[in-house]
Amino acid sequence: MQIKAIQEKFKSLFEAEGTFYTSPGRINLIGEHTDYNGGFVLPGAIDKAMYAEIKPNGTDKVRAFALDLGEYAEFGFGENDLPAKSWAKYIYGVCREMIKRGAAIKGFDTVFAGDVPLGAGMSSSAALESCFGYAINNMFKLWFDRFELAKIGQATEHHYVGVKCGIMDQFASCFGKEGSLIRLDCRSLEYQYIPFNPTGYRLVLVNTCVAHELASSAYNKRRQSCENVAAAIKKHHPEVELLRDSDLVMLKEVANEVTPEDYIRAEFVIEEIQRLLDTCAALEKGDYETVGKKMYETHIGLSRKYEVSCEELDFLNNIARECDVTGSRVMGGGFGGCTINLVKDELYDGFIKRATDSYEQKFKMKPKVYDVVIKDGARKL
Ligand code: GLA
């Protein structure tokens, strides 16, 4: 569907045919706000993605059309060419980050569209960065490997969007593999594919459809808290660079040297890193009841300690509990977006009905429901 519409638009705008590339959004089973602390995450790429048709145009400019928004932008690659449109900043940022790394990039035409819901915690922006990173790398025969492409996407967020994100989203979008989650060590970038096929259960996202304002500054503030605590611990334990290197005993030692707010944020992160490891052990045994328990614990931590939940997400989490859903929690950065739910096959219909009906009754809007299908990462079509 998207491909056809993109093709038609590309032809009418540029009177040519380009090459198609795609890169997906992601889910994360557990391990939230651990990536920028050097901890572990457990994401997987999904069947919702960004698609772009793209072709060199022999100039030194990008001519880009965002089909979903019906918006056009044109920009160069210079330091002062930052485009005004927010979606164009991502493409420009990817190009700039490649140029900084020594790549010679030429102008290109592109039309793109996607079905990763925006602001839902499913990483639509990482999908966009990875799609263009992969496409430009392939089209101009550059030398970046997938690790570098993920870092280029992350650096785009840091330098051109203003979100000091970790590496999880871009990594999942670049490295996704059909049917598998990725257990990623965000400090070393060592990773393992973990086949995920929970017989008897389904993974489903319920989207609150609220995207809270100021989410990016609140996100950066959380990261700052973690860095403050890691720096305080380092004074006593020089080997500690990131919260990943610390533990709850070390944290207690600095209780009087950090603010109560920073303390509680760090406590969540240290516990969450351990929770992920416990979850992986449970997954290995096929023990989904423990996996689910850990998901609920993460939700409580994200809501009460890290304070990145919101009324709508807490509401959906409570409904999941009441419906005996095995595991449920807010997914991604938070402040809105989706809950991720691990639910037994036989309870699925009842849960979805109850969640949609009662959410609509309370908040006067319908939540959106997406069954999770785990797919491959960035590629040429
Ligand atoms: C956002 C960021 C990620 C990660 C998650 C929280 O998705 O982009 O790097 O920090 O939030 O786990």
Side-chain angles (χ1 to χ4, degrees), residues 118-131:
L118 303 181
M122 290 153 81
S123 300
S124 53
S125 54
L128 183 60
E129 291 146 9
S130 306
C131 183

Side-chain angles (χ1 to χ4, degrees), residues 336-371:
C338 293
T339 58
I340 179 167
N341 305 275
L342 180 67
V343 53
K344 282 203 175 116
D345 284 341
E346 62 271 25
L347 297 179
Y348 178 90
D349 289 341
F351 165 57
I352 295 303
K353 177 150 181 24
R354 171 92 195 279
T356 17
D357 288 353
S358 46
Y359 189 86
E360 195 177 357
Q361 203 175 18
K362 172 130 174 96
F363 298 108
K364 311 290 171 244
M365 57 178 173
K366 261 196 190 326
K368 293 210 173 83
V369 176
Y370 316 100
D371 287 312

Side-chain angles (χ1 to χ4, degrees), residues 96-114:
R96 285 291 307 160
E97 287 300 323
M98 288 181 156
I99 291 167
K100 278 191 212 164
R101 288 162 174 76
I105 293 177
K106 307 210 179 60
F108 55 86
D109 296 334
T110 182
V111 174
F112 69 94

Side-chain angles (χ1 to χ4, degrees), residues 30-57:
I30 201 159
E32 223 62 90
H33 291 275
T34 48
D35 58 355
Y36 51 84
N37 289 297
F40 297 90
V41 290
L42 200 53
I46 53 175
D47 63 342
K48 306 205 173 346
M50 199 58 77
Y51 302 89
E53 183 170 5
I54 177 163
K55 188 177 200 293
N57 61 18

Side-chain angles (χ1 to χ4, degrees), residues 167-282:
I167 192 79
M168 167 169 74
D169 305 350
Q170 293 78 10
F171 197 96
S173 193
C174 289
F175 283 84
K177 181 173 163 184
E178 185 164 357
S180 288
L181 298 177
I182 310 167
R183 179 189 184 273
L184 172 66
D185 178 332
C186 298
R187 188 173 56 186
S188 64
L189 294 190
E190 275 171 39
Y191 66 101
Q192 268 170 286
Y193 289 116
I194 304 198
F196 185 71
N197 181 20
T199 312
Y201 296 83
R202 287 167 77 169
L203 253 193
V204 59
L205 307 181
V206 184
N207 187 355
T208 59
C209 298
V210 289
H212 281 196
E213 276 177 43
L214 298 177
S216 60
S217 62
Y219 180 94
N220 292 347
K221 210 171 153 222
R222 298 297 181 286
R223 182 172 183 152
Q224 188 57 55
S225 290
C226 296
E227 287 173 3
N228 294 345
V229 175
I233 296 176
K234 189 178 168 67
K235 285 190 194 143
H236 303 263
H237 303 275
E239 72 282 9
V240 171
E241 295 293 338
L242 297 158
L243 284 183
R244 153 79 184 278
D245 311 316
S246 69
D247 57 30
L248 292 173
V249 178
M250 293 176 180
L251 176 64
K252 281 212 177 82
E253 284 169 13
V254 299
N256 296 323
E257 298 163 36
V258 299
T259 66
E261 187 177 284
D262 287 357
Y263 185 93
I264 195 86
R265 305 285 193 249
E267 187 175 73
F268 165 77
V269 168
I270 294 169
E271 287 169 351
E272 179 73 355
I273 293 172
Q274 186 55 47
R275 244 188 315 266
L276 183 139
L277 297 173
D278 295 345
T279 303
C280 287

